[in-house]
Amino acid sequence: MSRATLARTIVGIVGNVISFFLFASPAPTFWRILKNKSVEEFKPDPYLATIMNCLFWIFYGMPFVTPDSTLVVTINSIGLAIQLIYTTIFFTYTNKQGRKKVGKFLAAEITLLALVGSIAMLAVHSHKTRSLIVGICTTAFGITMYLSPLTIMFKVIKTKSVEYMPFLLSLANFANGSVWLAYALIKFDPFIALTNGIGAVSGLAQLILYACYYNSTPRGDDAVKRPSEVQLPVSSN
């Protein structure tokens, strides 16, 4: 095993660990749903989006699409399993309209994956072209997920409060993007590099905002206690 391969493996394992904790971070939200037997005002959108993201990265990392990407497959398989558990809990305790929404989104995701998979496997016969086709689709979803905290960031600027942007989650997002960017640069993968480069910048921007507005955030009696849902801009690749 070459030094580059060893370094890439080590970095990938570290990335798997960080990504696992990001995938698991909404667990308190779903424990609350189980305890109260109600989804309250929580939305399934982040978890449905993460399912799509994981499905495409799993497909991208398969040996017949992008060889030597086992660590991409492992963490996204774990992430997919976790998100399916979250979605099942949400489906169980939401109303009829919520169930229809979940069902429609999952059906659309499976259909899209089947369409892209069919084109990649039946119409293309080289790893390079398959990686290109699947990578473009996967990168588009990954970038969208990493940019999803923009609404929260704008809210921080508007309210001058980091109440809705937990520091540890922002730090984990920055670390996750940085580690997977390093993984992609050791054995250059433009799709993983682009997605996680944007992720690292997004995480850094959150940390800068946190530093700017931490002192102006209400605390103690001035703080309004509201349940907040953890968002998941996770691209584990």
Side-chain angles (χ1 to χ4, degrees), residues 6-231:
L6 178 60
R8 189 170 186 257
T9 300
I10 293 172
V11 172
I13 291 172
V14 173
N16 270 240
V17 173
I18 296 174
S19 297
F20 172 79
F21 283 108
L22 273 174
F23 280 129
S25 61
T29 294
F30 287 91
W31 173 248
R32 174 179 176 148
I33 291 174
L34 283 170
K35 185 178 179 180
N36 296 336
K37 297 184 179 181
S38 171
V39 299
E40 301 176 20
E41 296 183 5
F42 296 131
K43 306 296 182 184
D45 303 38
Y47 315 105
L48 292 170
T50 305
I51 287 174
M52 171 70 88
N53 191 59
C54 289
L55 283 171
F56 269 87
W57 279 117
I58 290 170
F59 186 52
Y60 177 81
M62 288 294 177
F64 47 77
V65 177
T66 309
D68 303 320
S69 299
T70 303
L71 290 171
V72 174
V73 176
T74 55
I75 187 55
N76 282 285
S77 297
I78 293 171
L80 177 61
I82 292 173
Q83 302 311 306
L84 288 174
I85 292 172
Y86 292 158
T87 305
T88 300
I89 294 172
F90 186 92
F91 187 88
T92 301
Y93 292 106
T94 191
N95 55 29
K96 185 176 180 180
Q97 185 177 0
R99 291 191 182 97
K100 285 184 178 180
K101 179 178 182 178
V102 171
K104 287 179 180 179
F105 266 85
L106 290 177
E109 291 174 355
I110 293 172
T111 300
L112 182 58
L113 178 63
L115 178 62
V116 174
S118 297
I119 294 172
M121 298 307 298
L122 299 178
V124 178
H125 304 289
S126 70
H127 287 130
K128 184 176 180 179
T129 308
R130 283 177 184 168
S131 293
L132 178 64
I133 293 173
V134 181
I136 289 173
C137 295
T138 307
T139 300
F141 293 123
I143 291 174
T144 300
M145 291 190 64
Y146 262 138
L147 293 179
S148 63
L150 282 175
T151 54
I152 300 298
M153 293 167 69
F154 287 138
K155 188 168 187 175
V156 169
I157 295 172
K158 182 178 180 179
T159 62
K160 301 185 186 307
S161 170
V162 295
E163 179 183 0
Y164 295 99
M165 194 174 68
F167 173 76
L168 289 179
L169 188 59
S170 298
L171 180 61
N173 281 324
F174 172 67
N176 188 65
S178 299
V179 169
W180 284 109
L181 174 61
Y183 174 89
L185 293 178
I186 293 173
K187 181 181 178 181
F188 187 64
D189 186 311
F191 302 112
I192 296 178
L194 177 60
T195 304
N196 289 281
I198 292 174
V201 172
S202 174
L204 179 60
Q206 292 174 52
L207 292 175
I208 292 173
L209 282 179
Y210 196 93
C212 291
Y213 293 108
Y214 175 77
N215 288 332
S216 61
T217 300
R219 295 178 182 81
D221 295 336
D222 295 328
V224 179
K225 300 298 182 181
R226 303 183 184 93
S228 59
E229 183 176 7
V230 178
Q231 303 296 308

